Amino acid sequence: MGRRSGILEFAVLGLLRESPMHGYELRKRLNTSLGVFRAFSYGTLYPCLKTLVASGWLTEEPGNTAEDALAAPLAGRRAKIVYRLTAEGKEHFEELLSQTGPDTYDDEHFAARFAFFGQTSRDVRMRVLEGRRSRLEERLEKMRASLTRTRERLDDYTLELQRHGMESVEREVRWLNELIESERAGRDLKGSAGETAQQDTTSGTTGGLPRTGEPPRPDTPGDTAT
């Protein structure tokens, strides 16, 4: 399973754990609530759904609302398919939620994991947050070393871009520090960390997750997840 498809499957299972949905509803939720999936299409989603059905983690059911029943014959098409999480799918998702390996610290995977922190145990949240912070601190150290080596060879605009990238990473590290402090104190995400996340997502500078609280993502050139 590729990393990108693995993240999508994780997100689909998580959303369907909340309630069954049509494919269109799933795509809308992925686009609007999980910012990491803004640029994907039905051509990506439906093969993923078919894979999950074949694995026994989802079932396909015909839409059973009055609107679906009337719309299908009138439009000359089949009724919408509703996707529902199976007991095996729920168990598999809970297993994925418990994972804290290096992939969970990467930019895209961390954003998806964070969106489902409300369904994740506190000890797992702590390990993921601390791993993410450690990853970013390593990145920040490398960025500072690189800037020191190349400062004299950079023009003013390139230098400013490098500084902007560093500030973005520094901002996320501060945000993570606040989250980790809240977790250690046993507090819900309603204090200063939540306020910081809201400020970052409404500023328009980080492409955050308005509904799920995606962390501010570094705008570092050439340093995106693969």
Side-chain angles (χ1 to χ4, degrees), residues 62-219:
N64 56 8
T65 66
E67 181 181 352
D68 289 339
L70 290 173
L74 291 174
R77 55 180 172 77
R78 293 181 298 173
K80 292 180 180 178
I81 298 298
V82 173
Y83 294 90
R84 185 184 300 274
L85 197 65
T86 64
E88 292 80 5
K90 181 178 180 180
E91 183 178 345
H92 179 63
F93 179 68
E94 290 173 351
E95 179 183 344
L96 294 176
L97 277 181
S98 69
Q99 295 179 1
T100 58
D103 282 353
T104 64
Y105 315 150
D106 290 340
D107 293 347
E108 290 186 343
H109 206 150
F110 175 73
R113 284 300 301 268
F114 188 84
F116 295 99
F117 261 22
Q119 304 179 42
T120 307
S121 64
R122 188 181 300 276
D123 62 320
V124 171
R125 292 199 302 263
M126 280 292 295
R127 289 198 291 271
V128 173
L129 290 171
E130 290 175 340
R132 174 65 175 174
R133 180 176 64 180
S134 178
R135 175 70 56 84
L136 290 183
E137 287 174 340
E138 293 175 3
R139 182 183 300 178
L140 191 57
E141 183 178 350
K142 292 178 181 178
M143 294 170 69
R144 286 169 175 162
S146 176
L147 185 60
T148 299
R149 291 194 307 268
T150 61
R151 182 187 300 271
E152 300 301 324
R153 300 196 301 271
L154 299 177
D155 62 63
D156 290 343
Y157 292 99
T158 303
L159 184 61
E160 188 61 28
L161 186 61
Q162 293 294 323
R163 287 173 176 164
H164 172 66
M166 287 177 56
E167 290 172 358
S168 297
V169 179
E170 289 169 344
R171 183 172 63 249
E172 185 172 349
V173 169
R174 291 194 299 269
W175 179 75
L176 289 167
N177 286 337
E178 293 176 350
L179 286 174
I180 290 169
E181 181 182 350
S182 294
E183 291 288 347
R184 286 176 176 164
R187 296 194 300 267
D188 292 334
L189 186 56
K190 296 179 181 178
S192 59
E195 292 170 0
T196 301
Q198 180 65 25
Q199 291 169 1
D200 286 328
T201 56
T202 56
S203 66
T205 60
T206 60
L209 301 178
R211 296 185 182 274
T212 57
E214 178 185 344
R217 292 179 293 181
D219 303 321

